């Protein structure tokens, strides 16, 4: 409905707008049930008032009091909004339109020889509130703050004093150069350099990269990573405010301000339409009576239907002006259009696609660029064995031995090897002398053989002559009793429907598909080539991803309507590191199955089952929903113009006007419900 989406030019307007949104937000959360109760109470009181009117012969003013009760109950909020709009200089909104029309209808009965229109006045207001109820629904819950992002924010830093004692301090109070202790399973609170200890860090939260990063003395570490295995002593190099975590949090908070939101057609329409209607109604009320007084012959204008008002020229035209206001109230639009989007949101959610607001339909329907994060979006973000290249034994044997050695490893690569050889537990092999060599791999005795599984450094240590592999991925080398036995290629598996997703997007007219990843260049190139993407960029940090998205956004110039010529830009991601980019894109799409809370909060669209092919489904749904909304707009405006013309020539009654409005709305609402069928 109009004023909730205005982007007013001046500050006082903006303030008013914020207030309205706030007001509407409360209204939405606390008010849905209350509003429904008011509607029911009013309907009952209106029926009661009608009975009283027909059974008792009350004077006009007493009857007015009878009808005033339901009118105030249902209309107090609309009247309040209208007054507030006037106070803030935003006069022409639909609240004002309704208030003028209904107050006019309440008062017109006091003119000599005019029937009262009390019931109609209450009915119009009642119906308007039903529309508001629908809107509250269609608006849905506005996006909550990105509070979940604070999950990566460390709560405490263990500072080691010069005396060697450890004390817990708020990360914001730790000085540069302090020594902090990080135990396994804890988040690193500040950026720094390792001065003692070796460990593996889970950097998924920041880089989206699923391979844990091995760190040892003199390595730099960034805040927000989780320490997986060893105890680390770190000398801090940055204060909390400058640390990576704080930067990501502020990036996201400011990114939400940059949203390019396409304003709904209805807003523009209501903005122009409402003042025109009000002035047209004033014209109808004032000009014909004036002319008929000034030019006596024209008084026969009033001999159109409503002949009983012969000689009472002003009330006749005032009545027509009120009819004009009622008919012209954009009820049908204001209800059916948000309802169409609500239906679209419902239809999409049945398909496992969560769209967080009607304004994203327009963007989805006109996408020109889709930017993907790699890990967890186009790939599973989970390691699996892709190839086994044995040198001195068969594939089965090589996997079998490697799986046994990695049996006790907490590393994801160990898990991938165990998954590839699940029956190791029952084959009766005895594993002993397990030794983990930090940054190299693991050696263990399997039966009588000494098996070493790890990187090339480990092969050099045990004296095995290794050779490289033509495959892209993480290469795990294996040696048996110091002799090179072959290698296993482990990779992040590309999702089954990623290639289909890219094909479908291209078919729907998406010109550019881009992949951004923190992974190595050759891994990125391999995935991009397999999926047929138009471009890729690898080895990126969160800030680099934002920079790339900014660059892609700047490529597309705006058309006069404020739409990008090359279409809007969507970003698809699933990690905490994606939150800033999700918030910066025209529409952020999060993979919700495995995605982080921060990504899901920052995104505008969430795909619950992690299938990238659902992006194409979302685009098709958005286009269909917009088509239905357009049909409703054309139909409602067409019927209204027809009834308005009747009203001007006095061929319409208040009930006709109300029913024309109601009828149009019911039909438009039924059409809108089609959007629910996904």
């Amino acid at each position: 409905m109009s004023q909730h989406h205005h982007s007013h030019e001046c500050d006082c307007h903006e303030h008013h707008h914020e207030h309205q949104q706030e007001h509407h937000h409360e209204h939405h959360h606390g008010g849905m049930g209350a509003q429904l109760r008011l509607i029911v109470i009013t309907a009952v009181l209106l029926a009661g008032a009608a009975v009283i009117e027909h059974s008792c012969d009350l004077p006009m003013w007493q009857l007015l009091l009878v009808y005033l009760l339901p009118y105030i109950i249902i209309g107090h909020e609309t009247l309040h909004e209208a007054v507030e709009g006037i106070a803030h200089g935003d006069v022409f909104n639909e609240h004002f339109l309704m208030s003028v029309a209904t107050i006019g209808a309440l008062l017109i009965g006091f003119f000599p020889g005019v029937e009262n229109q009390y019931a109609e006045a209450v009915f119009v207001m009642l119906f308007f509130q039903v529309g508001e109820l629908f809107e509250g629904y269609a608006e849905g819950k506005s996006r909550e703050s990105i509070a979940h992002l604070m999950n990566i924010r460390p709560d405490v830093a263990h500072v080691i004093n010069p005396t060697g004692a450890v004390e817990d301090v708020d990360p914001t109070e730790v000085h540069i150069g302090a020594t902090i202790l990080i135990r396994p399973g804890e988040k690193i609170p500040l950026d720094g350099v390792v001065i003692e200890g070796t460990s593996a860090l889970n950097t998924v939260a920041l880089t989206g990269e699923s391979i844990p990063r091995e760190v040892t003395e003199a390595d730099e570490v960034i805040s927000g990573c989780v320490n997986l295995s060893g105890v680390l002593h770190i000398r801090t190099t940055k204060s909390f405010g400058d640390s990576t975590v704080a930067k990501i949090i502020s990036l996201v908070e400011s990114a939400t301000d940059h949203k390019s939101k396409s304003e709904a057609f209805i807003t523009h329409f209501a903005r122009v339409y409402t003042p025109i209607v009000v002035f047209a109604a004033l014209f109808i009320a004032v000009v014909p009576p004036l002319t008929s007084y000034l030019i006596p012959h024209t008084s026969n204008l009033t001999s159109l239907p409503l002949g009983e008002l012969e000689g009472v020229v002003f009330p006749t035209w005032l009545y027509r002006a009120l009819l004009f206001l009622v008919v012209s109230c954009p009820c049908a639009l204001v209800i059916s259009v948000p309802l169409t989007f609500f239906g679209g949101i419902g239809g999409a959610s049945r398909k496992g696609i969560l769209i967080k607001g009607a304004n994203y339909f327009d963007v989805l329907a006109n996408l020109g660029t889709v930017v993907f994060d790699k890990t967890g979006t186009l790939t599973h973000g989970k390691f699996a064995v892709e190839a086994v290249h044995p040198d001195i034994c068969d594939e089965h044997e090589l996997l079998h031995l490697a799986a046994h050695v990695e049996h006790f490893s907490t590393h994801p690569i160990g898990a991938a090897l165990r998954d590839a050889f699940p029956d190791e537990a029952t084959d009766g092999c005895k594993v002993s002398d397990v030794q983990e060599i930090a940054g190299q791999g693991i050696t263990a005795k399997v039966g009588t053989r000494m098996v070493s599984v790890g990187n090339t450094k480990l092969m050099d240590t045990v004296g095995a002559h290794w050779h490289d592999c033509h495959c892209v991925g993480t290469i795990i080398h294996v040696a048996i009793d110091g002799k090179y036995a072959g290698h296993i290629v482990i990779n992040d598996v590309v999702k089954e429907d990623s290639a289909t997703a890219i094909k479908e997007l291209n078919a729907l007219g998406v010109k550019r598909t881009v992949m951004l990843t923190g992974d190595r260049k050759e891994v990125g190139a391999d995935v991009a080539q397999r999926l047929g993407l138009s471009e890729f960029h690898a080895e990126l940090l969160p800030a680099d991803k934002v920079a790339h998205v900014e660059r892609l956004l700047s490529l597309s110039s705006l058309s006069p309507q404020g739409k990008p010529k090359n279409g809007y830009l969507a970003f698809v991601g699933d990690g905490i590191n994606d939150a800033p980019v999700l918030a910066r894109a025209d529409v952020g799409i999060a993979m919700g199955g495995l995605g982080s809370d921060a990504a899901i909060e920052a995104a505008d669209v969430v795909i619950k089952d992690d299938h990238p092919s659902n992006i194409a489904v979302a685009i098709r749904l958005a286009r269909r929903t917009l088509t239905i909304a357009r049909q409703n707009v054309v139909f409602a405006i067409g019927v209204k113009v027809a009834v308005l013309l009747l009203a001007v020539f006095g061929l319409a009654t208040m009930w006709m006007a109300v029913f024309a409005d109601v009828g149009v709305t019911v039909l438009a609402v039924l059409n809108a419900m089609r959007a629910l069928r996904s």
Side-chain angles (χ1 to χ4, degrees):
M1 310 235 247
S2 67
Q3 81 297 358
H4 296 305
H5 306 287
H6 283 354
S7 50
H8 295 305
E9 285 72 28
C10 72
D11 289 346
C12 65
H13 283 196
E14 256 165 45
H15 167 76
H16 170 54
H17 177 51
E18 274 164 34
H19 171 82
Q20 293 234 1
Q21 279 191 322
E22 240 165 71
H23 160 84
H24 205 266
H25 200 62
E26 287 160 27
H27 188 66
H28 173 73
H29 283 297
M32 214 56 118
Q35 203 177 2
L36 197 56
R37 277 197 297 279
L38 287 183
I39 289 171
V40 173
I41 292 168
T42 307
V44 172
L45 288 173
L46 178 59
V51 169
I52 293 173
E53 181 180 359
H54 289 294
S55 52
C56 318
D57 195 14
L58 293 176
M60 283 295 271
W61 64 271
Q62 286 180 355
L63 197 55
L64 174 63
L65 294 178
V66 172
Y67 278 103
L68 215 48
L69 180 65
Y71 177 79
I72 297 292
I73 287 177
I74 199 68
H76 66 278
E77 199 171 280
T78 305
L79 296 168
H80 175 248
E81 293 269 343
V83 171
E84 205 169 67
I86 294 165
H88 288 94
D90 171 30
V91 178
F92 299 115
N93 54 42
E94 73 268 32
H95 298 287
F96 175 75
L97 209 67
M98 283 327 230
S99 303
V100 173
T102 51
I103 291 169
L106 287 173
L107 299 179
I108 198 165
F110 288 97
F111 283 104
V114 185
E115 264 187 47
N116 80 66
Q117 302 286 332
Y118 300 149
E120 290 86 335
V122 181
F123 189 75
V124 170
M125 200 56 107
L126 178 67
F127 200 73
F128 182 61
Q129 281 303 320
V130 173
E132 289 272 287
L133 185 72
F134 273 128
E135 185 209 4
Y137 235 57
E139 286 273 303
K141 183 169 144 252
S142 72
R143 178 147 85 252
E144 303 288 31
S145 69
I146 303 158
H148 285 85
L149 185 62
M150 304 313 164
N151 285 352
I152 60 167
R153 188 188 174 131
D155 310 316
V156 68
H158 312 302
V159 178
I160 303 174
N161 291 344
T163 58
V166 177
E167 60 171 324
D168 292 351
V169 182
D170 186 301
T172 51
E173 290 165 17
V174 178
H175 305 296
I176 296 176
T179 304
I180 54 176
L181 167 82
I182 292 125
R183 304 186 182 103
E186 293 183 335
K187 289 190 188 90
I188 296 179
L190 297 115
D191 297 6
V193 176
V194 178
I195 50 175
E196 190 187 315
T198 56
S199 179
L201 300 184
N202 174 351
T203 62
V204 155
L206 296 169
T207 60
E209 217 24 74
S210 32
I211 307 180
R213 209 176 113 220
E214 307 287 343
V215 290
T216 176
E217 280 168 37
D219 285 342
E220 285 192 13
V221 292
I222 53 176
S223 53
C225 299
V226 177
N227 181 16
L228 294 176
S229 44
V231 174
L232 293 176
H233 289 196
I234 290 173
R235 189 178 62 248
T236 60
T237 53
K238 286 182 182 161
S239 64
F240 183 75
D242 293 331
S243 68
T244 312
V245 168
K247 284 204 178 116
I248 287 189
I249 291 172
S250 70
L251 251 177
V252 176
E253 283 171 348
S254 63
T256 330
D257 309 336
H258 299 299
K259 274 292 184 197
S260 61
K261 294 202 168 101
S262 63
E263 275 197 313
F265 166 79
I266 291 304
T267 316
H268 292 303
F269 175 74
R271 238 202 218 147
V272 178
Y273 173 83
T274 318
I276 292 175
V277 163
V278 173
F279 288 119
L282 266 175
F283 180 88
I284 293 170
V286 176
V287 177
L290 267 183
T291 4
S292 70
Y293 283 123
L294 298 175
I295 313 163
H297 339 299
T298 56
S299 65
N300 64 355
L301 273 173
T302 51
S303 61
L304 285 160
L306 295 178
E308 73 273 12
L309 300 187
E310 189 59 80
V312 196
V313 181
F314 183 62
T316 311
W317 287 98
L318 179 63
Y319 182 71
R320 288 175 193 176
L322 293 177
L323 284 183
F324 188 85
L325 278 182
V326 172
V327 175
S328 63
C329 174
C331 263
L333 292 177
V334 160
I335 294 171
S336 70
V337 172
L339 193 65
T340 306
F341 288 117
F342 179 58
I345 290 169
S349 71
R350 288 184 188 173
K351 287 260 190 225
I353 302 165
L354 189 71
I355 298 173
K356 293 193 182 176
N359 41 347
Y360 302 117
F361 280 92
D362 206 23
V363 181
L364 282 171
N366 298 295
L367 283 181
T369 307
V370 179
V371 183
F372 294 92
D373 174 51
K374 177 183 81 76
T375 312
T377 304
L378 293 171
T379 65
H380 282 291
K382 188 169 163 254
F383 288 98
V385 170
E386 199 170 75
V388 181
H389 299 152
D391 270 29
I392 56 171
C393 56
D394 63 8
E395 290 189 12
H396 180 272
E397 182 72 356
L398 193 66
L399 258 184
H400 160 215
L401 293 171
H404 271 303
V405 172
E406 292 281 350
H407 184 73
F408 300 102
S409 161
T410 54
H411 203 289
I413 284 172
L417 288 168
R418 290 196 300 276
D419 292 346
F421 197 89
D423 49 354
E424 49 151 337
T426 56
D427 66 4
C429 286
K430 187 167 171 289
V431 181
S432 56
D433 303 346
V434 180
Q435 189 192 355
E436 187 156 352
I437 302 163
Q440 294 188 10
I442 300 179
T443 61
K445 217 166 180 170
V446 181
T448 55
R449 293 180 286 183
M450 198 65 192
V451 183
S452 312
V453 180
N455 56 19
T456 52
K457 284 187 200 146
L458 182 65
M459 295 300 104
D460 295 341
T461 308
V462 299
H465 299 296
W466 57 275
H467 59 84
D468 224 348
C469 182
H470 62 279
C471 291
V472 175
T474 304
I475 313 295
I476 304 297
H477 297 275
V478 183
I480 301 171
D481 295 327
K483 259 185 88 181
Y484 190 62
H487 51 249
I488 296 165
V489 183
I490 285 185
N491 227 332
D492 186 358
V493 189
V494 173
K495 290 182 183 173
E496 298 70 37
D497 75 338
S498 288
T500 324
I502 306 299
K503 268 201 207 74
E504 288 188 0
L505 288 174
N506 293 335
L508 284 168
V510 173
K511 297 176 195 68
R512 248 201 208 97
T513 47
V514 185
M515 178 178 78
L516 304 178
T517 176
D519 218 330
R520 305 196 310 280
K521 218 178 206 88
E522 57 272 25
V523 176
D526 179 52
V527 173
Q529 190 250 319
R530 276 160 60 183
L531 298 181
L533 295 158
S534 37
E535 57 181 276
F536 80 96
H537 304 277
E539 296 172 20
L540 306 174
L541 286 169
D544 305 332
K545 290 188 184 179
V546 176
H548 274 292
V549 167
E550 294 279 1
R551 175 182 65 80
L552 289 163
L553 282 167
S554 66
L555 290 179
S556 115
S557 53
L558 292 180
S559 69
Q561 294 84 40
K563 276 189 182 169
K565 282 207 179 66
N566 309 330
Y568 290 104
L569 180 140
F571 180 82
V572 193
D574 75 323
I576 292 177
N577 61 302
D578 299 325
V581 214
L582 284 165
R584 180 63 193 92
D586 292 319
V587 61
I589 303 174
M591 293 288 160
L594 298 167
S596 73
D597 293 354
I600 291 167
E601 283 298 322
D604 311 305
V605 177
V606 179
I607 290 179
K608 293 185 199 151
D609 61 4
D610 286 352
H611 290 162
S613 56
N614 267 340
I615 299 164
V617 177
I619 294 175
R620 285 198 292 270
L621 272 168
R623 288 180 183 171
R624 181 159 173 265
T625 305
L626 285 175
T627 307
I628 294 175
R630 280 192 206 105
Q631 290 167 353
N632 279 344
V633 168
V634 172
F635 170 65
I637 293 174
V639 173
K640 288 201 175 297
V641 168
V643 180
L644 285 177
L645 290 172
L646 289 177
V648 174
F649 294 113
L651 300 170
T653 65
M654 186 65 88
W655 284 108
M656 237 173 105
V658 172
F659 278 115
D661 200 23
V662 176
V664 169
T665 307
V666 168
L667 289 170
V669 164
L670 290 174
N671 190 31
M673 297 313 269
R674 285 174 43 224
L676 261 171
R677 295 208 309 278
S678 46

